[in-house]
Amino acid sequence: VFQRMTKSECYFINGTEKVRYVQRAIYNREQFIMFDSDVGHFVGFTPYGEKLAKRWNSNAVFMEDRRTAVDWFCRCRYKNFTPFLTERR
């Protein structure tokens, strides 16, 4: 059985004052590539991940989309889910 998984995570510090976006791609329990908004580019962890990171990092339009994910992916979700998470008892 083969499994490929992509995880997108948002880390919030002091509300939305400091937000970090991390995207990971995993194949058969091995992370092969990762994007971290604090770093600003993809990092490969396997030969295939390194090749993919080089290709994606050279695509300016794709990279601009990843770098702005803090706003369009994380901050909009924070506004939607915060009342449910913080007011829950």
Side-chain angles (χ1 to χ4, degrees):
V1 175
F2 300 101
Q3 181 182 37
R4 185 181 187 283
M5 178 173 52
T6 302
K7 294 177 68 175
S8 298
E9 306 166 16
C10 298
Y11 298 93
F12 299 96
I13 300 167
N14 197 14
T16 58
E17 187 175 315
K18 173 75 173 118
V19 182
R20 180 177 169 217
Y21 171 76
V22 177
Q23 181 182 9
R24 305 170 195 275
I26 301 153
Y27 180 72
N28 282 355
R29 300 183 195 163
E30 182 179 17
Q31 179 174 295
F32 64 92
I33 194 167
M34 180 178 90
F35 176 83
D36 186 337
S37 63
D38 287 351
V39 176
H41 63 270
F42 282 92
V43 176
F45 298 100
T46 65
Y48 173 70
E50 291 172 358
K51 183 179 178 181
L52 198 56
K54 184 177 180 180
R55 186 180 332 144
W56 287 353
N57 288 334
S58 66
N59 184 334
V61 174
F62 182 69
M63 289 307 295
E64 184 62 26
D65 184 61
R66 292 298 97 191
R67 290 184 182 121
T68 59
V70 165
D71 295 320
W72 62 261
F73 185 82
C74 295
R75 286 195 169 101
C76 70
R77 282 167 174 73
Y78 183 86
K79 293 173 188 173
N80 292 335
F81 290 109
T82 298
F84 171 74
L85 297 172
T86 59
E87 296 172 12
R88 195 171 173 190
R89 297 180 201 278

